[in-house]
Amino acid sequence: MITTKTPNPTDASIILTYRCPMRCQMCNIWKYPTNRSEEIQAKDLTSLPKLKFINLTGGEPFIREDLDTIVEECYNHTDRIVISTSGWFEDRVIELAKKFPNIGIRISIEGLSEKNDELRGHDGGFDKGLRTLLSLKKMGVKDIGFGCTVSNHNSKDMLSLYQLSLSMGMEFATAAFHNSYYFHKEDNLISNKEEVCNDFRQLIEWQLEENNPKSWFRAWFNMGLINYIEGGRRMLPCEAGSANFFIDPWGEVYPCNGMEDKFWKLSMGNIHQHSFNEIWESEQAAIVREKVRNCPKNCWMVGTASPVMHKYIKYPLKWALQNKLRSIRGLKPCIEPKQHII
């Protein structure tokens, strides 16, 4: 491969499997399960660079019985790992947390009991997820919380989940549903935009009332979700394939998980065939980065938004401080997204 020198990324997401016990309305991964014998292994990750953050996701990561060996290898490359999970395999989550007490766990919950089980297509999913979080909290695991994907159907429940997470002293992460090759969806569209955006505005107000600066930055991220839902351009440039990357279950290195075949979808290379550094500095990677610069999608997902929020921190920081002061004075925050501010 022809190579060109490129700065190392800071963040990675590794999609360990497309196998999943859930039947989510907003994601069809479960309809396209991977063959377990073809899925990426711990030994395939040895050439990864040093990173600030690795997210392990799926499908359902805990369906992998060798997940502990993958986590062990990932800790050779980063100090912080967060696993996104449904919490369905309660015992496996608990056992892994015993072995790696600093692990981060985000349980995907889309609403209160009835709404969650309806949207995730599995009775008892809410109870399992909540019970898993409670068990982790009792164990003393600190980096735990909820992850909620907001659609047409659950923005009110998002607000209830936030209050629940606050009362439990847990993290609360949000997303809005997207279409992509990864989700195998083309019809994820928020039609009740006013209702959903107003609920996000309420969430932003509550987050600014907190004393935790991390929540103020999440409020800014959620303003970006309002901007995305309303069809605006990204508030920060997308640097997928430069600041971050995704690896799929077959070892393909992609810039993100938001691509769609009808627009474009292009791999940088496969880690079964080349070392990560060879892939990252290759001519093919440069072609992919040019595609990213001209991508029409304007996605706003945490995997690609978080790295640039850290890189261009002065923009969310200024907004967070200004609006925290407004919150202290009892004023409404300024929630008018400035589109593509760089």
Side-chain angles (χ1 to χ4, degrees), residues 45-72:
L45 305 175
T46 57
S47 70
L48 292 183
K50 286 293 182 182
L51 298 157
K52 292 182 179 179
F53 174 71
I54 293 178
N55 171 234
L56 298 178
T57 186
E60 171 51 65
F62 283 94
I63 212 166
R64 293 283 301 261
E65 295 180 354
D66 60 343
L67 182 57
D68 59 335
T69 65
I70 292 171
V71 170
E72 189 170 21

Side-chain angles (χ1 to χ4, degrees), residues 10-11 243-244 302-312:
T10 59
D11 294 36
N244 69 279
V302 69
T304 52
S306 178
V308 290
M309 284 177 64
H310 285 91
K311 180 175 179 179
Y312 303 107

Side-chain angles (χ1 to χ4, degrees), residues 20-284:
C20 187
M22 311 310 285
R23 301 293 182 263
C24 297
Q25 291 185 16
M26 64 284 187
C27 174
N28 283 336
I29 278 178
W30 56 276
K31 293 183 178 180
Y32 303 89
T34 41
N35 186 323
R36 62 184 297 176
S37 66
E38 298 176 353
E39 293 170 347
I40 193 171
Q41 305 291 313
K43 61 183 174 60
D44 301 317
L45 305 175
T46 57
S47 70
L48 292 183
K50 286 293 182 182
L51 298 157
K52 292 182 179 179
F53 174 71
I54 293 178
N55 171 234
L56 298 178
T57 186
E60 171 51 65
F62 283 94
I63 212 166
R64 293 283 301 261
E65 295 180 354
D66 60 343
L67 182 57
D68 59 335
T69 65
I70 292 171
V71 170
E72 189 170 21
E73 176 58 38
C74 286
Y75 270 126
N76 291 328
H77 305 277
T78 188
D79 293 327
R80 183 162 185 251
I81 299 171
V82 172
I83 304 178
S84 303
T85 174
S86 66
W88 189 259
F89 298 101
E90 300 172 65
D91 293 342
R92 295 185 187 181
V93 178
I94 301 307
E95 285 304 309
L96 189 79
K98 288 178 180 176
K99 187 171 183 179
F100 303 100
N102 291 326
I103 198 77
I105 300 290
R106 294 295 179 273
I107 305 289
S108 297
I109 296 180
E110 314 310 339
L112 300 179
S113 181
E114 182 178 356
K115 179 59 67 176
N116 176 79
D117 293 358
E118 171 194 339
L119 292 179
R120 295 189 68 81
H122 220 316
D123 290 344
F126 178 86
D127 293 347
K128 277 179 174 283
L130 185 59
R131 189 161 52 234
T132 301
L133 285 172
L134 291 170
S135 297
L136 291 169
K137 185 174 178 64
K138 186 176 180 180
M139 289 168 57
V141 180
K142 292 182 171 55
D143 193 0
I144 55 175
F146 298 81
C148 179
T149 299
V150 178
S151 64
N152 289 337
H153 315 290
N154 66 338
S155 60
K156 284 288 185 290
D157 274 42
M158 169 191 69
L159 297 177
S160 299
L161 284 177
Y162 165 78
Q163 293 292 350
L164 179 60
S165 70
L166 201 61
S167 69
M168 295 170 67
M170 296 184 182
E171 305 285 342
F172 187 72
T174 50
F177 68 5
H178 287 62
N179 294 313
S180 78
Y181 79 92
Y182 171 65
F183 302 112
H184 299 278
K185 291 288 286 185
E186 296 181 348
D187 59 352
N188 280 340
L189 178 66
I190 292 177
S191 55
N192 55 338
K193 294 181 181 181
E194 183 176 359
E195 177 185 359
V196 172
C197 290
N198 283 338
D199 287 334
F200 269 117
R201 290 185 175 93
Q202 177 62 78
L203 176 62
I204 289 169
E205 289 184 29
W206 286 343
Q207 288 175 320
L208 288 168
E209 290 173 1
E210 291 187 52
N211 293 323
N212 184 358
K214 186 187 290 187
S215 295
W216 312 341
F217 284 96
R218 285 186 179 141
W220 193 86
F221 173 80
N222 286 326
M223 185 171 66
L225 287 177
I226 292 173
N227 180 56
Y228 167 74
I229 292 166
E230 292 181 340
R233 293 183 66 203
R234 285 175 60 103
M235 297 192 304
L236 291 175
C238 182
E239 296 188 1
S242 298
N244 69 279
F245 63 91
F246 279 71
I247 301 180
D248 82 358
W250 296 282
E252 296 291 340
V253 180
Y254 288 111
C256 71
N257 64 339
M259 295 175 291
E260 294 182 71
D261 287 321
K262 68 180 180 181
F263 295 116
W264 69 282
K265 179 189 174 188
L266 199 59
S267 168
M268 294 177 158
N270 192 293
I271 59 172
H272 296 303
Q273 299 166 358
H274 303 278
S275 72
F276 180 83
N277 189 59
E278 288 176 319
I279 293 170
W280 195 247
E281 296 184 358
S282 69
E283 184 176 318
Q284 176 68 10

